Amino acid sequence: MFARFWHGFGHLRPRGPVDGPPALVIPGFIATDRTTLALRKALAEAGWRVHGWELGWNRGARADTIRCLKSRLDAISAQPILLVGWSLGGVFARELAREHPERVRAVVTLGSPFSGDPHQNNVWRLYERVAGHKVDAPPLPRITEKPPVPHLAVWSRRDGIVAPRSARGLEHERDDAVELQCTHMGFGVSSRAVREVVLEIDRFLKSHE
């Protein structure tokens, strides 16, 4: 646990080579850019220019979430940007790509509940208390069809928070699905899991671009 905690230390500014391809990492529910630091470090080490979302704690969907994320894209780069969303952050990434596909290179979701009934996931009651709206009636569209950009869904049957069926999706809801052996928190804090995520992103982009 200490080793994982240690990965959360460090600056939150953009990481990776200045001329590297741009990437935006969106944290999950009740998480921040500090929570995704290990994942962003791994992407930066692989050559990406990685940015945090800079919107503080993710307290659930808001009516202006996509508008705020679009502003982040505009501030990061004029190039199409890779979106990596952990948990609820992946749901945001899909809807951002749906509204602004010309600004998005690809979407990668990590244990994200983008498919099926949201009540099949284990934190929906907590989500409703914190977010202030029903999990199946968010202030953003919840569309299960694949966004018009390449989409890789990374999931785990050991997740424990998000149902594997929800994070894996159906054939028409994503382009590819890859299973990792990690817990839900592992997608963002496990050094082994984040390295595997980076490798799967590289493989996916090479086969779908």
Side-chain angles (χ1 to χ4, degrees), residues 28-119:
F29 180 53
I30 321 181
T32 69
D33 285 333
R34 178 69 62 189
T35 320
T36 65
L37 192 54
L39 176 58
R40 287 188 285 117
K41 286 179 179 179
L43 286 163
E45 290 170 1
W48 293 90
R49 181 63 172 176
V50 192
H51 303 258
W53 85 325
E54 296 187 0
L55 295 175
W57 290 90
N58 183 343
R59 293 184 173 89
R62 298 289 185 267
D64 65 346
T65 298
I66 301 304
R67 178 180 60 79
C68 292
L69 286 170
K70 172 58 164 54
S71 296
R72 285 295 294 137
L73 296 185
D74 293 340
I76 289 170
S77 176
Q79 302 177 49
I81 296 170
L82 174 71
L83 302 181
V84 181
W86 179 15
S87 194
L88 180 62
V91 177
F92 293 170
R94 280 170 50 96
E95 297 314 312
L96 179 60
R98 199 182 311 281
E99 290 200 19
H100 303 283
E102 76 287 352
R103 301 291 289 111
V104 177
R105 180 175 177 179
V107 169
V108 179
T109 56
L110 309 176
S112 297
F114 66 88
S115 179
D117 184 347
H119 293 97

Side-chain angles (χ1 to χ4, degrees), residues 3-13 15-17 25 33-34 36-48 50 188 194-195 198:
R4 292 182 176 184
F5 181 70
W6 178 255
H7 286 301
F9 284 96
H11 70 79
L12 298 179
R13 300 185 300 277
R15 291 178 176 268
V25 176
D33 285 333
R34 178 69 62 189
T36 65
L37 192 54
L39 176 58
R40 287 188 285 117
K41 286 179 179 179
L43 286 163
E45 290 170 1
W48 293 90
V50 192
V194 298
R195 288 195 299 269
V198 172

Side-chain angles (χ1 to χ4, degrees), residues 142-193:
R142 187 177 185 275
I143 304 171
T144 60
E145 293 292 327
K146 190 184 86 69
V149 300
H151 173 208
L152 169 64
V154 184
W155 63 283
S156 173
R157 68 185 71 239
R158 295 176 51 206
D159 187 298
I161 299 295
V162 172
R165 157 68 178 81
S166 184
R168 182 177 62 245
L170 303 177
E171 292 288 339
H172 65 282
E173 296 173 335
R174 38 70 176 167
D175 291 293
D176 198 359
V178 172
E179 180 181 6
L180 295 190
Q181 296 298 318
C182 68
T183 63
H184 191 73
M185 289 301 295
F187 285 118
V189 303
S190 164
S191 57
R192 176 187 58 80

